[in-house]
Amino acid sequence: MYEKFTKQTAQSIMFSKEEAERLHNNYIGPEHLLLGLLRQDNCDAVDVLEALHVNLETLKYSIEVYVRDKQLPDTDQSAINNPDLTKEAKEILNSSIVEAGFLNDKLAKP
């Protein structure tokens, strides 16, 4: 899947995986994608949040409290070391490819 994205976007997805592992989650959901974005340097999404006066540290903390040690039911505990994207996270990533195409953006590779 990562080959569809730019280096920065793929890095953000990898950060999401690291965040899920750090929080002992056995999945990568939308919340982890946001945490991954928050770790990026020079990220337009973070710039937008800052322009809206969102306190990024408070946002990060709130997400961490919400998902800490949260597990998807009926999933092997070994998945914590190799979490998979949830259906919702996959939909977000697929939608980002479509939107990038509409916007003629460089989020996804041609």
Side-chain angles (χ1 to χ4, degrees):
M1 169 178 270
Y2 299 125
E3 67 279 354
K4 296 179 184 177
F5 297 101
T6 63
K7 182 179 176 182
Q8 184 180 24
T9 305
Q11 183 181 42
S12 184
I13 297 167
M14 290 304 298
F15 286 157
S16 300
K17 180 180 186 285
E18 291 174 7
E19 291 296 322
E21 291 170 354
R22 182 178 66 82
L23 295 167
H24 300 101
N25 300 137
N26 62 358
Y27 67 97
I28 302 169
E31 54 277 274
H32 301 102
L33 295 177
L34 181 54
L35 288 172
L37 279 175
L38 293 175
R39 286 180 51 182
Q40 277 292 349
D41 294 325
N42 301 317
C43 177
D44 290 342
V46 173
D47 293 343
V48 168
L49 291 171
E50 288 175 334
L52 294 171
H53 306 288
V54 172
N55 182 315
L56 300 181
E57 290 304 314
T58 301
L59 175 61
K60 181 180 175 188
Y61 177 78
S62 296
I63 294 169
E64 290 174 355
V65 167
Y66 176 74
V67 301
R68 187 170 305 280
D69 300 320
K70 183 177 173 186
Q71 305 299 326
L72 291 180
D74 302 325
T75 305
D76 185 349
Q77 285 300 308
S78 66
I80 291 173
N81 296 324
N82 193 20
D84 286 326
L85 293 165
T86 63
K87 177 183 167 194
E88 295 82 6
K90 288 177 186 176
E91 288 174 4
I92 289 168
L93 294 176
N94 288 331
S95 293
S96 71
I97 293 170
V98 172
E99 288 298 320
F102 287 143
L103 298 172
N104 196 22
D105 197 11
K106 302 287 188 233
L107 171 70
K109 294 178 182 176

